[in-house]
Amino acid sequence: MTLSILSVASEAVPLVKTGGLADVVGALPAALAAHDVAMTTLLPGYPAVTATLGKKPKVLHTWDRLLGEPARLLAGKIGVGSSEGHPLLVLDAPGLFAREGGPYVDATGRDWPDNWKRFAAFGRAAADIAGGGVKTLTFDLIHAHDWQAGMALAYLRFAPFSGDGAGPQLPSVITIHNMAFQGHYGADLFPALGLPPQAMAIDGIEYHGGISFLKAGLAAASRITTVSPTYAREIREPGFGMGLEGLIRAREGEVSGIVNGIDPAVWNPASDAALKSGYTARALAKRATNKRALEAEFGLEKGDGPLFVVISRLTWQKGMDVLLEAADHLVGIGARLALLGSGDAALESGFHAAAARHPGRIGVRIGYDEALSHRMLGGGDAILVPSRFEPCGLTQLYGLAYGCVPVVSRTGGLADTVIDANLAARQAGVATGVQFDGVRWQTLADALTRTVQLYRDPAAWRSLQRAGMGADFTWTGSGEAYADLYKSLTVTR
Ligand code: ADP
Ligand code: GLC
């Protein structure tokens, strides 16, 4: 029997993306279709999302007042890469989502002041849909992603739309893509949420006297997943759990890690239209054309050391401050750097200054550019991901697929997906990259030096590239893992 899943998230490619969450939510429907799971995705009606629905979208439901706002549920399709198009539901609430700016911040980078209401309403709508409030839609399980969808599970638990709440609860999964974002608000908002008093409790949505949308979801979910096995272990500790480690430990047996995949139709160097020269693991020499083009694009001189690339949010999480400190060392050992990213203003100007200090050796693009990210992976020698924590990380997976050797800190999904080029791994021919412990100047500088040494041994370097390109980080295994999880939660019903 085909299982019907409602996937609830604030982002999904190709419609709205601020990070890897969007890639994963966008890829899941296709990844699960192969396992007899039909997934419908619910997104907020941001302008870029409603724009894809055409002039006369199908209206499945209306709310006169959804946390005070008029709203409609619209039907559409979402598809990317290898997928044909999967069912999409859009919460069209113009007072909440139809505005210029980002999904979470205004044009000046400040959080929207009504984010609590926007994502509470989103959760309320999701619970109505999952709870049987929209007659034409029925689901076997609800899968919520991150804090923006957390309230869906709290509403389902404490105030389902239909029934008396005493019947069997719809099973639920919540996936933590990043513990650093929790959706904290003041307790004064509680009356506006429309939840019964018992929800404001330590095993409900209450968090240190306030409200946490992520905790609300974690406390209510039948199962909790995160995006790598190592991060699933790390979030039991304060440094990674960021205040929710106690809850994670209390629910230990119900927390697991399923590593993200990448879509081979989008990330394949043999067929990537963004590349000057396509290539395979057997024809790595063809990468040279891409490398020369990339050097020209970033105004870099030719060199016999490796060309490092970075494609990243410029934030503390990503260790970009430490990379900035190590930039002089990187140049000093004969390497070059091409960086694409945006984020903290101080880091943006810091990298501009590093580029000005090292013309021809460091090139910087501040901004967001999907096509350029492909060209960097197809021409760069190594991709740097020195994150302080990384729930999964996708760019190291792209690096593996493109023979752009990942150089990563040993944390979260980076620890789970890259095999360090230590002596044993190299002798066995299984090494795929370079890992280092602890994100500090010295550890990163050592890793950069070690990478340059490996690069100067062409046979060793080719072996790293080929092993990475041979690894399978498509959705095959992880799609099955999610399908198995859903099945295990629905069999007894
Ligand atoms: P996170 O979600 O924490 O930012 P991930 O590695 O999971 O980290 O996902 C980041 C995604 O965003 C990847 O698909 C990456 O290629 C993309 N990305 C990040 N910064 C940029 C940028 N400046 N230009 C293009 N793509 C970017
Ligand atoms: C988050 C994490 C990243 C992960 C992505 C998708 O943004 O920071 O590590 O890959 O979610 O799960």
Side-chain angles (χ1 to χ4, degrees), residues 18-100:
T18 71
L21 166 70
D23 295 279
V24 175
V25 174
L28 278 179
L32 283 155
H35 302 284
D36 221 8
V37 173
M39 182 169 272
T40 298
T41 307
L42 172 68
L43 289 177
Y46 304 120
V49 177
T50 47
T52 64
L53 297 177
K55 283 215 164 57
K56 280 221 162 83
K58 194 167 172 199
V59 181
L60 298 180
H61 190 74
T62 57
W63 288 266
D64 293 339
R65 299 221 162 275
L66 185 67
L67 268 78
E69 297 289 331
R72 302 187 301 169
L73 185 67
L74 308 179
K77 288 265 179 207
I78 184 167
V80 66
S82 54
S83 75
E84 284 300 309
H86 295 273
L88 173 70
L89 299 173
V90 176
L91 179 63
D92 178 38
L96 299 173
F97 301 117
R99 47 179 88 162
E100 295 306 315

XYZ file of all heavy atoms in Angstrom, residues 18-100:
592
model
N 17.086 29.227 1.209
C 18.149 30.003 1.863
C 19.303 29.093 2.257
O 20.355 29.569 2.659
C 17.664 30.746 3.129
O 17.413 29.790 4.164
C 16.404 31.556 2.874
N 19.115 27.779 2.178
C 20.192 26.856 2.545
C 19.836 25.434 2.152
O 18.876 25.194 1.401
N 20.601 24.491 2.703
C 20.462 23.089 2.335
C 19.089 22.496 2.639
O 18.673 21.523 1.993
N 18.380 23.064 3.623
C 17.020 22.603 3.916
C 16.189 22.520 2.637
O 15.466 21.545 2.402
C 16.365 23.574 4.913
C 14.847 23.464 5.091
C 14.486 22.175 5.812
C 14.297 24.672 5.856
N 16.302 23.554 1.813
C 15.513 23.620 0.583
C 15.877 22.479 -0.369
O 14.998 21.876 -1.002
C 15.729 24.957 -0.105
N 17.168 22.184 -0.472
C 17.597 21.101 -1.356
C 16.995 19.778 -0.899
O 16.527 18.976 -1.700
C 19.128 20.980 -1.356
C 19.799 22.209 -1.937
O 19.867 22.310 -3.168
O 20.241 23.071 -1.157
N 17.018 19.560 0.395
C 16.566 18.277 0.932
C 15.040 18.135 0.789
O 14.552 17.122 0.293
C 17.003 18.148 2.417
C 16.444 16.883 3.034
C 18.525 18.146 2.498
N 14.308 19.163 1.187
C 12.844 19.100 1.094
C 12.411 18.961 -0.368
O 11.481 18.234 -0.686
C 12.202 20.337 1.757
C 10.700 20.365 1.530
C 12.518 20.341 3.251
N 13.147 19.643 -1.259
C 12.831 19.554 -2.683
C 13.118 18.184 -3.269
O 12.453 17.745 -4.209
N 14.107 17.486 -2.720
C 14.516 16.193 -3.279
C 13.720 15.020 -2.703
O 13.621 13.966 -3.341
C 16.005 15.969 -3.017
N 13.169 15.185 -1.515
C 12.538 14.034 -0.843
C 11.398 13.372 -1.644
O 11.341 12.137 -1.696
C 12.034 14.421 0.553
C 13.085 14.420 1.674
C 12.452 14.854 2.994
C 13.713 13.035 1.838
N 10.479 14.129 -2.240
C 9.370 13.448 -2.931
C 9.852 12.442 -3.985
O 9.352 11.308 -4.037
C 8.583 14.597 -3.575
C 8.882 15.786 -2.713
C 10.304 15.596 -2.273
N 10.846 12.843 -4.790
C 11.356 11.928 -5.812
C 12.096 10.760 -5.161
O 11.980 9.611 -5.589
C 12.277 12.661 -6.772
N 12.846 11.058 -4.101
C 13.620 10.003 -3.430
C 12.682 8.952 -2.836
O 13.029 7.771 -2.761
C 14.485 10.615 -2.331
N 11.496 9.372 -2.421
C 10.581 8.447 -1.758
C 9.634 7.745 -2.714
O 9.110 6.672 -2.402
C 9.808 9.194 -0.678
C 10.731 9.390 0.526
C 10.326 10.583 1.356
C 10.777 8.122 1.353
N 9.428 8.350 -3.887
C 8.503 7.750 -4.856
C 8.955 6.327 -5.191
O 8.134 5.428 -5.390
C 8.432 8.607 -6.108
N 10.270 6.125 -5.192
C 10.818 4.810 -5.514
C 10.490 3.771 -4.443
O 10.674 2.572 -4.650
C 12.334 4.919 -5.678
N 10.020 4.228 -3.297
C 9.765 3.306 -2.181
C 8.291 3.266 -1.801
O 7.939 3.058 -0.642
C 10.622 3.714 -0.975
C 12.083 3.716 -1.285
N 12.819 2.564 -1.385
C 12.921 4.733 -1.576
C 14.063 2.871 -1.707
N 14.151 4.180 -1.830
N 7.442 3.526 -2.771
C 6.006 3.413 -2.529
C 5.515 4.417 -1.478
O 4.646 4.102 -0.666
C 5.674 1.980 -2.069
C 4.388 1.507 -2.725
O 3.897 2.221 -3.611
O 3.892 0.428 -2.333
N 6.106 5.574 -1.506
C 5.665 6.640 -0.602
C 5.301 7.846 -1.465
O 6.104 8.289 -2.282
C 6.791 7.033 0.381
C 6.386 8.267 1.191
C 7.126 5.871 1.302
N 4.073 8.345 -1.303
C 3.632 9.532 -2.046
C 3.720 10.729 -1.110
O 3.078 10.751 -0.066
C 2.204 9.349 -2.527
N 4.563 11.696 -1.484
C 4.789 12.837 -0.592
C 4.203 14.115 -1.176
O 4.437 14.455 -2.328
C 6.290 13.004 -0.349
C 6.621 14.136 0.598
S 8.356 14.073 1.070
C 8.283 12.995 2.485
N 3.429 14.800 -0.338
C 2.880 16.111 -0.686
C 3.617 17.143 0.157
O 3.792 16.942 1.361
C 1.375 16.150 -0.348
O 0.714 15.169 -1.145
C 0.779 17.522 -0.626
N 4.045 18.228 -0.468
C 4.825 19.242 0.255
C 3.962 20.474 0.518
O 3.323 20.988 -0.397
C 6.058 19.644 -0.584
O 6.777 18.456 -0.942
C 6.983 20.584 0.199
N 3.949 20.932 1.758
C 3.243 22.171 2.115
C 4.254 23.285 2.338
O 5.180 23.141 3.150
C 2.421 21.969 3.399
C 1.777 23.235 3.989
C 0.667 23.763 3.067
C 1.214 22.969 5.381
N 4.093 24.394 1.614
C 4.984 25.551 1.743
C 4.180 26.808 2.060
O 3.019 26.913 1.662
C 5.718 25.811 0.410
C 6.788 24.842 -0.055
C 7.296 25.279 -1.435
C 7.952 24.786 0.922
N 4.806 27.790 2.727
C 4.158 29.094 2.879
C 4.053 29.787 1.514
O 4.914 29.591 0.654
C 5.124 29.875 3.792
C 6.024 28.850 4.408
C 6.124 27.748 3.409
N 3.040 30.613 1.359
C 2.832 31.288 0.076
C 3.676 32.541 -0.091
O 3.153 33.647 -0.239
N 4.998 32.364 -0.103
C 5.891 33.482 -0.429
C 5.621 33.870 -1.890
O 5.178 33.031 -2.680
C 7.369 33.066 -0.296
C 7.763 32.514 1.050
C 8.260 31.224 1.163
C 7.637 33.278 2.201
C 8.633 30.699 2.393
C 8.010 32.762 3.439
C 8.504 31.483 3.523
O 8.867 30.972 4.738
N 5.951 35.113 -2.277
C 5.678 35.533 -3.648
C 6.241 34.567 -4.698
O 5.563 34.239 -5.670
C 6.362 36.905 -3.733
C 6.349 37.419 -2.328
C 6.504 36.216 -1.453
N 7.475 34.089 -4.483
C 8.090 33.192 -5.470
C 7.351 31.855 -5.559
O 7.421 31.168 -6.579
C 9.549 32.937 -5.105
N 6.649 31.497 -4.516
C 5.919 30.216 -4.509
C 4.560 30.388 -5.184
O 4.210 29.637 -6.098
C 5.752 29.688 -3.069
C 4.928 28.400 -3.058
C 7.121 29.465 -2.431
N 3.792 31.402 -4.784
C 2.462 31.587 -5.375
C 2.577 31.923 -6.867
O 1.702 31.582 -7.644
C 1.669 32.685 -4.636
O 2.499 33.825 -4.466
C 1.212 32.211 -3.271
N 3.698 32.554 -7.243
C 3.874 32.929 -8.651
C 3.869 31.720 -9.578
O 3.550 31.839 -10.763
C 5.177 33.703 -8.821
N 4.210 30.541 -9.056
C 4.291 29.364 -9.926
C 2.930 28.689 -10.095
O 2.816 27.716 -10.827
C 5.260 28.305 -9.358
O 4.721 27.839 -8.112
C 6.639 28.879 -9.122
N 1.908 29.190 -9.420
C 0.633 28.464 -9.411
C -0.303 28.871 -10.547
O -1.370 28.291 -10.705
C -0.076 28.679 -8.064
C 0.669 28.137 -6.840
C -0.083 28.480 -5.564
C 0.851 26.618 -6.940
N 0.089 29.868 -11.318
C -0.770 30.312 -12.413
C -1.829 31.283 -11.915
O -1.945 31.566 -10.727
N -2.629 31.792 -12.872
C -3.607 32.849 -12.547
C -4.775 32.332 -11.722
O -5.316 33.026 -10.875
C -4.131 33.468 -13.850
C -3.147 34.448 -14.489
C -3.877 35.597 -15.164
C -2.947 36.760 -15.461
N -1.791 36.368 -16.313
N -5.209 31.100 -12.035
C -6.402 30.577 -11.363
C -6.083 29.272 -10.655
O -6.493 28.191 -11.082
C -7.505 30.318 -12.415
C -8.265 31.566 -12.835
C -9.768 31.239 -12.968
C -10.632 32.469 -12.958
N -10.726 33.113 -14.281
N -5.327 29.343 -9.566
C -4.968 28.100 -8.883
C -6.175 27.450 -8.232
O -7.171 28.117 -7.924
C -3.976 28.575 -7.826
C -4.268 30.006 -7.620
C -4.837 30.538 -8.880
N -6.073 26.154 -8.059
C -7.150 25.408 -7.416
C -7.158 25.723 -5.916
O -6.127 25.615 -5.246
C -6.901 23.915 -7.644
C -8.094 23.072 -7.329
C -7.883 21.664 -7.871
C -9.016 20.786 -7.377
N -8.673 19.379 -7.471
N -8.325 26.113 -5.402
C -8.444 26.428 -3.973
C -9.042 25.213 -3.265
O -10.152 24.788 -3.566
C -9.353 27.658 -3.751
C -9.442 27.982 -2.253
C -8.831 28.858 -4.536
N -8.285 24.647 -2.319
C -8.753 23.434 -1.644
C -9.458 23.738 -0.327
O -10.222 22.916 0.179
C -7.565 22.506 -1.354
C -6.799 21.993 -2.567
C -5.663 21.094 -2.120
C -7.727 21.233 -3.509
N -9.192 24.915 0.217
C -9.753 25.215 1.538
C -9.593 26.715 1.788
O -8.679 27.336 1.242
C -8.970 24.427 2.602
C -9.584 24.449 3.962
N -10.711 23.736 4.296
C -9.230 25.115 5.103
C -11.017 23.935 5.567
N -10.138 24.774 6.085
N -10.463 27.262 2.609
C -10.261 28.659 3.025
C -10.411 28.765 4.538
O -11.161 28.009 5.156
C -11.277 29.627 2.373
O -12.595 29.175 2.711
C -11.135 29.700 0.876
N -9.663 29.676 5.105
C -9.792 30.013 6.531
C -10.215 31.482 6.604
O -9.532 32.346 6.016
C -8.447 29.890 7.258
C -7.917 28.508 7.485
C -8.084 27.743 8.602
C -7.057 27.744 6.613
N -7.405 26.544 8.473
C -6.773 26.521 7.259
C -6.524 27.975 5.329
C -5.970 25.539 6.680
C -5.734 26.993 4.756
C -5.457 25.789 5.430
N -11.308 31.753 7.292
C -11.685 33.159 7.488
C -10.640 33.834 8.361
O -10.220 34.953 8.106
C -13.054 33.267 8.173
C -14.153 32.760 7.246
O -13.897 32.737 6.019
O -15.220 32.367 7.745
N -10.250 33.111 9.394
C -9.245 33.651 10.312
C -8.281 32.545 10.733
O -8.670 31.644 11.480
C -9.905 34.225 11.563
C -10.842 35.362 11.282
C -10.715 36.478 12.320
N -11.304 37.708 11.796
C -10.638 38.572 11.021
N -9.392 38.365 10.723
N -11.236 39.649 10.580
N -7.072 32.633 10.244
C -6.025 31.701 10.654
C -5.075 32.539 11.505
O -4.330 33.360 10.978
C -5.314 31.152 9.411
C -4.267 30.067 9.602
C -4.878 28.770 10.098
C -3.529 29.816 8.281
N -5.140 32.373 12.803
C -4.493 33.310 13.732
C -4.811 34.760 13.338
O -3.932 35.622 13.297
C -2.992 33.075 13.804
C -2.592 32.106 14.936
C -2.851 30.664 14.538
C -1.142 32.290 15.327
N -6.050 34.958 12.982
C -6.514 36.311 12.678
C -6.386 36.723 11.221
O -6.866 37.780 10.834
N -5.743 35.905 10.407
C -5.482 36.290 9.024
C -6.303 35.456 8.047
O -6.356 34.229 8.184
C -4.001 36.066 8.684
C -3.042 36.895 9.482
C -3.083 38.359 9.106
O -3.394 38.675 7.936
O -2.817 39.198 9.993
N -6.908 36.096 7.054
C -7.582 35.308 6.019
C -6.556 34.488 5.236
O -5.456 34.984 4.951
C -8.240 36.356 5.118
C -7.680 37.664 5.510
C -6.988 37.538 6.829
N -6.904 33.242 4.928
C -5.936 32.372 4.239
C -6.657 31.367 3.356
O -7.825 31.039 3.587
C -5.079 31.644 5.275
N -5.920 30.908 2.347
C -6.458 29.873 1.454
C -5.399 28.792 1.276
O -4.194 29.074 1.346
C -6.757 30.454 0.071
C -7.739 31.606 0.075
C -8.088 31.994 -1.349
N -6.908 32.397 -2.118
C -6.897 32.575 -3.442
N -7.989 32.341 -4.163
N -5.807 32.962 -4.071
N -5.869 27.587 0.998
C -4.944 26.501 0.664
C -5.034 26.261 -0.831
O -6.114 25.948 -1.349
C -5.321 25.228 1.431
C -4.339 24.069 1.229
C -2.982 24.392 1.846
C -4.898 22.786 1.833
N -3.907 26.429 -1.520
C -3.878 26.290 -2.973
C -3.105 25.030 -3.357
O -2.212 24.583 -2.636
C -3.199 27.517 -3.596
C -3.749 28.887 -3.170
C -2.973 30.008 -3.853
C -5.238 29.001 -3.480
N -3.460 24.475 -4.512
C -2.814 23.239 -4.988
C -1.920 23.538 -6.175
O -2.248 24.378 -7.015
C -3.871 22.217 -5.369
N -0.793 22.862 -6.233
C 0.122 23.017 -7.360
C 1.018 21.803 -7.492
O 0.715 20.723 -6.956
N 2.124 21.992 -8.209
C 3.103 20.915 -8.413
C 4.490 21.462 -8.135
O 4.769 22.624 -8.406
C 3.086 20.448 -9.874
C 1.852 19.663 -10.253
C 2.130 18.185 -10.128
C 0.885 17.379 -10.486
N 0.854 16.091 -9.809
N 5.345 20.618 -7.624
C 6.736 21.022 -7.429
C 7.634 19.925 -7.991
O 7.358 18.739 -7.806
C 7.048 21.304 -5.939
C 8.477 21.811 -5.765
C 6.775 20.086 -5.051
C 8.753 22.402 -4.393
N 8.690 20.333 -8.696
C 9.588 19.330 -9.258
C 10.938 19.937 -9.534
O 11.054 21.125 -9.785
N 11.952 19.115 -9.465
C 13.301 19.586 -9.756
C 14.129 18.408 -10.239
O 13.873 17.273 -9.844
C 13.952 20.231 -8.509
C 14.189 19.209 -7.418
C 15.258 20.925 -8.863
N 15.092 18.706 -11.104
C 16.017 17.665 -11.546
C 15.296 16.489 -12.148
O 14.515 16.633 -13.085
N 15.533 15.333 -11.562
C 15.014 14.110 -12.161
C 13.520 13.909 -11.882
O 12.891 13.033 -12.436
C 15.796 12.920 -11.610
O 15.776 12.939 -10.209
N 12.942 14.737 -11.010
C 11.546 14.467 -10.656
C 10.592 15.193 -11.587
O 10.859 16.271 -12.079
C 11.284 14.862 -9.200
O 11.217 16.260 -9.110
N 9.476 14.592 -11.830
C 8.514 15.064 -12.809
C 7.617 16.160 -12.284
O 7.014 16.915 -13.020
C 7.616 13.880 -13.213
C 8.288 12.914 -14.139
C 8.695 13.597 -15.422
O 7.836 14.261 -16.026
O 9.882 13.498 -15.799
N 7.469 16.241 -11.024
C 6.493 17.143 -10.442
C 5.678 16.370 -9.421
O 5.113 15.327 -9.721
N 5.658 16.887 -8.198
C 4.973 16.204 -7.102
C 3.952 17.156 -6.500
O 4.061 18.366 -6.654
C 6.000 15.753 -6.059
C 6.941 14.731 -6.601
N 6.673 13.383 -6.586
C 8.127 14.866 -7.224
C 7.665 12.732 -7.156
N 8.569 13.608 -7.554
N 2.952 16.605 -5.791
C 1.897 17.455 -5.263
C 2.437 18.516 -4.305
O 3.280 18.226 -3.458
C 0.987 16.474 -4.516
C 1.356 15.123 -5.004
C 2.760 15.185 -5.499
N 1.941 19.727 -4.507
C 2.354 20.866 -3.686
C 1.111 21.525 -3.102
O 0.105 21.699 -3.803
C 3.098 21.879 -4.568
C 3.455 23.222 -3.919
C 4.551 23.045 -2.870
C 3.914 24.222 -4.991
N 1.166 21.872 -1.822
C 0.128 22.674 -1.187
C 0.775 23.984 -0.774
O 1.911 23.993 -0.280
C -0.443 21.957 0.044
C -1.119 20.600 -0.198
C -1.465 19.943 1.138
C -2.363 20.768 -1.063
N 0.055 25.069 -0.988
C 0.604 26.385 -0.652
C -0.365 27.106 0.272
O -1.551 27.223 -0.030
C 0.828 27.208 -1.940
C 1.304 28.616 -1.593
C 1.840 26.515 -2.845
N 0.157 27.569 1.400
C -0.664 28.355 2.317
C -0.604 29.812 1.870
O 0.375 30.518 2.114
C -0.155 28.225 3.756
C -0.980 29.053 4.758
C -2.429 28.561 4.820
C -0.336 29.031 6.133
N -1.667 30.216 1.194
C -1.726 31.577 0.668
C -2.372 32.476 1.719
O -3.588 32.485 1.878
C -2.556 31.566 -0.633
C -2.703 32.961 -1.224
O -1.723 33.723 -1.156
O -3.795 33.282 -1.737
N -1.527 33.189 2.454
C -2.014 34.119 3.481
C -1.265 35.426 3.253
O -0.200 35.662 3.838
C -1.742 33.570 4.877
N -1.792 36.270 2.361
C -1.036 37.455 1.921
C -0.566 38.335 3.068
O 0.534 38.894 3.012
C -2.047 38.197 1.033
C -3.001 37.146 0.570
C -3.096 36.147 1.685
N -1.365 38.448 4.128
C -0.977 39.290 5.261
C 0.281 38.783 5.955
O 0.957 39.523 6.673
N 0.598 37.507 5.753
C 1.749 36.912 6.429
C 2.954 36.689 5.501
O 4.101 36.824 5.919
C 1.349 35.563 7.047
C 0.235 35.616 8.098
C -0.176 34.206 8.498
C 0.676 36.417 9.314
N 2.669 36.307 4.255
C 3.773 35.845 3.405
C 3.996 36.645 2.124
O 5.059 36.535 1.529
C 3.558 34.367 3.045
C 3.471 33.479 4.256
C 2.310 32.768 4.537
C 4.545 33.377 5.129
C 2.228 31.954 5.660
C 4.465 32.576 6.259
C 3.305 31.858 6.526
N 3.000 37.405 1.676
C 3.164 38.121 0.403
C 3.865 39.449 0.645
O 3.230 40.493 0.756
C 1.801 38.341 -0.251
N 5.185 39.401 0.788
C 5.943 40.638 1.008
C 7.337 40.506 0.400
O 7.870 39.399 0.280
C 6.030 40.966 2.494
C 6.418 39.796 3.367
C 6.526 40.163 4.848
N 5.265 40.042 5.571
C 5.157 39.967 6.894
N 6.249 40.021 7.631
N 3.992 39.841 7.481
N 7.903 41.630 0.027
C 9.265 41.638 -0.521
C 10.257 41.382 0.617
O 10.010 41.756 1.747
C 9.563 42.995 -1.151
C 8.698 43.305 -2.363
C 8.761 42.217 -3.414
O 9.878 41.736 -3.719
O 7.687 41.816 -3.921
